[in-house]
Amino acid sequence: MEAKETKVSIIFPIYNNDNYIERAIRSVMNQTLKDIELILIDDGSTDRASEICDQLAAEDSRIQVIHKKNEGSAAGRNQGIDLAHGEYIAFVESDDCVALDMYEKLYRRAKETDADIVKCGFYFCEADKKYEAKFFYQIADDKEVFAPVEKPDIFLYHPKGRITYI
């Protein structure tokens, strides 16, 4: 049986956020797009975040946890990119909670338009309120980015694509 190709690698830079990290990771574990990998980069957390990451990785084979000394989120993101196998790469902050179909919609839109980058907007929400993601699409080619996004925060990009911001 041929192995499924990873469509999206989702990278979490994590440092001391044990109050929210499980909710953030589970919101990605439960995505409607199943051909994903989760790369959790624990940047030397001193709270329970490391333990929570290991527990969730034991539940889901798509999760890879890297424990490293504290070097900042940029170094963690870069290490995640180096480890990624996905056709596209995305980032989630450790206190985010994403809509369950977000990556399916972003991936579908990227494929429909042959985009290097697809962005969506975001909402601030409270833990006890359900929300729907409001999507704004931004498509890039080798020259420029089209359809600017209001307050872009969440994006999916092809690691070999060239991105120019306007």
Side-chain angles (χ1 to χ4, degrees), residues 104-116:
E104 181 177 11
K105 287 181 177 180
L106 287 170
Y107 182 79
R108 182 176 50 232
R109 185 67 173 159
K111 297 307 280 184
E112 288 170 355
T113 61
D114 196 30
D116 293 323

Side-chain angles (χ1 to χ4, degrees), residues 58-112:
E59 292 179 23
D60 192 325
S61 63
R62 300 173 300 168
I63 298 175
Q64 177 181 5
V65 181
I66 304 299
H67 299 286
K68 60 191 250 358
K69 69 178 185 163
N70 183 266
E71 297 177 297
S73 64
R77 288 174 187 269
N78 288 336
Q79 185 172 7
I81 290 169
D82 290 342
L83 296 169
H85 296 100
E87 181 180 359
Y88 287 87
I89 294 174
F91 299 97
V92 175
E93 298 300 320
S94 59
D95 60 351
D96 288 348
C97 182
V98 300
L100 295 178
D101 61 349
M102 187 180 84
Y103 288 112
E104 181 177 11
K105 287 181 177 180
L106 287 170
Y107 182 79
R108 182 176 50 232
R109 185 67 173 159
K111 297 307 280 184
E112 288 170 355

